[in-house]
Amino acid sequence: GPTEDDRIKPDIVAPGRTLLSAGARQNKVGECDDNERPKVGDTIKNNVGLSFSQGTSMASPVVAGTAALVRQYFQDGYYPSGKPNAPDAMTP
C-alpha cells in the first residue's frame, strides 16, 4: 500500500513456486543434463539432478538477476535511447 506521505512504495514480486532448479548428487557426472527431465514433485532423492522447488530461496535469485540486468542497462548507457551510448552511461 501507500506510504504515510501517500507515495506508492515499490513492491517487488517474482515467481517462487514450481521453479526448476539444479541439484547436486554426489559423484554423478552430467547430473543436470537435459535427458533427465524431472516431473513436478521429483526431488534430488528421486535420483534426478534437476528438481522443482519453491519459496523465497527460488524467488530471490530471480529478483537479484533482474536487478543486475536493470543496473547493467543503465551502466551501458541504454537509457534513454534504448541503444548503448557511452555518454549516457550512469551508475544508478
Side-chain angles (χ1 to χ4, degrees):
T3 61
E4 290 180 5
D5 61 356
D6 292 326
R7 289 177 293 130
I8 298 173
K9 64 181 182 175
D11 287 326
I12 298 174
V13 295
R17 184 177 165 106
T18 317
L19 294 175
L20 191 58
S21 178
R25 290 179 289 169
Q26 207 168 9
N27 302 320
K28 175 74 172 159
V29 175
E31 64 183 311
C32 294
D33 291 344
D34 255 356
N35 61 359
E36 288 188 353
R37 293 186 183 263
K39 296 174 183 75
V40 174
D42 278 348
T43 65
I44 301 304
K45 293 176 188 172
N46 293 3
N47 208 24
V48 177
L50 300 170
S51 67
F52 287 94
S53 193
Q54 61 188 15
T56 55
S57 60
M58 298 302 290
S60 296
V62 173
V63 172
T66 302
L69 290 172
V70 169
R71 185 172 192 263
Q72 191 68 47
Y73 179 86
F74 286 103
Q75 286 184 323
D76 289 348
Y78 279 89
Y79 180 81
S81 68
K83 296 178 183 178
N85 186 16
D88 290 335
M90 67 173 139
T91 300

